Amino acid sequence: MKKASTDLITRQQSRILTAAKQCFSRNGISRTTMRDIAAEAEISLGNIYRYFSNKKALIHAFIERDNQEIGEAFALLDNTKHFKTLLEHIVKEIINELSTKSELYIHLDLLILGLHDKDILALLELDKSEQFLKNSLQKAQEKSQIVLSLSPEITALAIMAFIEKAAIKCISDSNYSKKNAGKQFKKFINLLIGSS
Amino acid sequence: MKKASTDLITRQQSRILTAAKQCFSRNGISRTTMRDIAAEAEISLGNIYRYFSNKKALIHAFIERDNQEIGEAFALLDNTKHFKTLLEHIVKEIINELSTKSELYIHLDLLILGLHDKDILALLELDKSEQFLKNSLQKAQEKSQIVLSLSPEITALAIMAFIEKAAIKCISDSNYSKKNAGKQFKKFINLLIGSS
Amino acid sequence: MKKASTDLITRQQSRILTAAKQCFSRNGISRTTMRDIAAEAEISLGNIYRYFSNKKALIHAFIERDNQEIGEAFALLDNTKHFKTLLEHIVKEIINELSTKSELYIHLDLLILGLHDKDILALLELDKSEQFLKNSLQKAQEKSQIVLSLSPEITALAIMAFIEKAAIKCISDSNYSKKNAGKQFKKFINLLIGSS
Amino acid sequence: MKKASTDLITRQQSRILTAAKQCFSRNGISRTTMRDIAAEAEISLGNIYRYFSNKKALIHAFIERDNQEIGEAFALLDNTKHFKTLLEHIVKEIINELSTKSELYIHLDLLILGLHDKDILALLELDKSEQFLKNSLQKAQEKSQIVLSLSPEITALAIMAFIEKAAIKCISDSNYSKKNAGKQFKKFINLLIGSS
DNA sequence: GATGAATGAGAATTCATTCAT
DNA sequence: AATGAATGAATTCTCATTCAT
């Protein structure tokens, strides 16, 4: 991997990461070959290595980008007056996205990779999103926007756990729909969070 | 796959599956080679193919056996007088086991395999254990042993989700301990389940 | 790489090493691919890895075998009554062999590999043959078979150096023949070694 | 290879060759990539091909320049009154340099390349330095500055062989030092060359 | 029934060389 | 003249699966 004009570098890296996401969604991370990504990005195989020194580095970058996106979504919670409503909305979105199967692939693959690889594990900080949520809950509680039945920490954990599980269920259990998941989540939320 | 006399078949299959579990725990499913399993089972490589026609079939059989074992654990709930205490105990056990990393490997690997492979997905019925728990909750509620804040279905989902998430956290987040998880779970349970 | 019945293992390893020697002679070590060796040994590519865990291990084994052969040649010196004559003979043989170009390829390639790789360097013990020769000279001197102008150490060094250089010259300089080399060596030897 | 104005050509070629020497010393010729050389020369990768049509041509040019430099060193021998002393000095220098490992890399790499490639072999004329030395010895003998035990040809061969071998030994054998080599060489020289 | 040797289709990665700008 | 992005063939190594004994 060598340097190139910064602009092109970022553009190409981004292009490759987007292609990677496509492939990862389709087949899971570990089943995606560098050649697959190259083909998807319409780039030569060797050229990928100009932008990412190896597969691991590419995955690294991929995770970093992913974390950013999730962070941005949760950031909205800090500036809203209707915390619970927005939370329900965000969660619905996330379940929606995760239950594309494609997203879930990636999500779980990352977990597995993390278990196999300390570096990736560190990067995952196994659930940035949980952190974001916890912080948002805390702030909202301090602002007396909401009343929590349990600590922000447990609440965040429980919520994120619920989301993932529901998403998995949407895919794996044909009797279980996203609508279903949404309704259940509302009830669950009402148990955990009371509005002031 | 060549056939063998029924008795021997079951004995050998069992032996191989036990060896497989060892290997899967150590390195995850996808990183376990057929040779690894053969070595662990002290059986010849070629001989495995007499009992399982290919790796996928072996994994299939593995899942079936796993589901059985979990079912047996939850079955205890149906005959106890101290539902909540026993539940807490079982959950502690499961988190303990899952957070061995080795078990989590398998758990997650299976999920991924399921996402990639309809046959396996069907077999997973993504969380036998959740079904068992739901049934137990329902029966206990009918017997008025417990009072549920939400439906048995949501409660089971929430509990299993919590367990998995906590197990993952035990491994990935060095600041998070099993003790911690146990305490949090108690509070969480008290919110979901009231004793009559 | 896995174990196999000891007999077959040795036979196959030997076969592979022989094939390797062919290839190394033809193209030099670093230009020889594992596929080349497999083809020459009439074995599948993957099968090589059953007998040598990687290319480096194969080269290792190759060197060890080479060292043995040279050692056997020099061992003859210890039991002869006509030291100088036999030495001249052996040297002629070695120059002959080395100047096949093929042998020289290997000889030099090994040196280079040694410079790049500590493990190989250690194995080379950069010139087993020089050690053998030095010991033979020493014994012969003690038995008063020969009279050395310089120490056995320097003498051995000078002789081996001469051999190599002459061999290289035979190949690279078309005006320089093996006959030439033999004659020159006799004169050189007479300067270094006098018979008693 | 595209052409350039003669002046610039020579300047750039020289610059590239100097960079090449740095790289070759560090990692050996075959492990040096064109990109390495470009970086060291602070020139663009593509631009190298304006001045050398390919890697082989570059190595060619490199050898030619190297030969020149060695020639200049030995030329000193022709004008000295203290032949043996100067020779000892020069040899010490060469062993010193060669045993930097870096120089030896190049030296051996070139030999190998020569064996693989007729064009390069011709260029090497496998040991310009030996030729120079032979000529110097001859002249010195004619001027009666020295008395040779053997012919100038054999003497030159023996000396150069000794140098190389000693250099290699300095690197590969930790018990063997440059000092050692120098002392041994003096004794060896005294056997080959007597002053008048 | 059992064995384990053999196969070969990939996978990641490297690097000389070309070519559009 | 100079640049450096792009190419793709080549290399090492892995592993599920087959098959002769």
Side-chain angles (χ1 to χ4, degrees), chain B residues 100-166:
Chain B
T100 331
K101 188 165 185 177
S102 50
E103 284 295 326
L104 195 56
Y105 266 158
I106 298 181
H107 185 77
L108 290 176
D109 269 359
L110 285 182
L111 272 179
I112 297 241
L113 282 178
L115 294 179
H116 286 299
D117 186 326
K118 286 229 161 185
D119 297 346
I120 291 186
L121 186 58
L123 206 60
L124 283 180
E125 279 170 56
L126 241 342
D127 263 310
K128 219 67 178 177
S129 38
E130 194 185 324
Q131 294 299 323
F132 288 129
L133 180 55
K134 183 188 127 193
N135 292 337
S136 297
L137 287 168
Q138 202 147 25
K139 284 184 206 157
Q141 193 177 29
E142 283 162 7
K143 286 194 258 173
S144 300
Q145 280 186 299
I146 56 174
V147 177
L148 296 180
S149 308
L150 301 169
S151 72
E153 197 185 354
I154 310 183
T155 311
L157 179 87
I159 289 177
M160 291 312 300
F162 192 97
I163 291 176
E164 273 176 37
K165 196 79 181 173

Side-chain angles (χ1 to χ4, degrees), chain D residues 3 19 31 48 68 98 101-102 126 144-145 151:
Chain D
K3 282 191 183 168
R31 298 196 182 196
I48 285 192
Q68 252 177 32
L98 271 187
K101 189 166 187 176
S102 50
L126 237 344
S144 300
Q145 279 186 298
S151 72

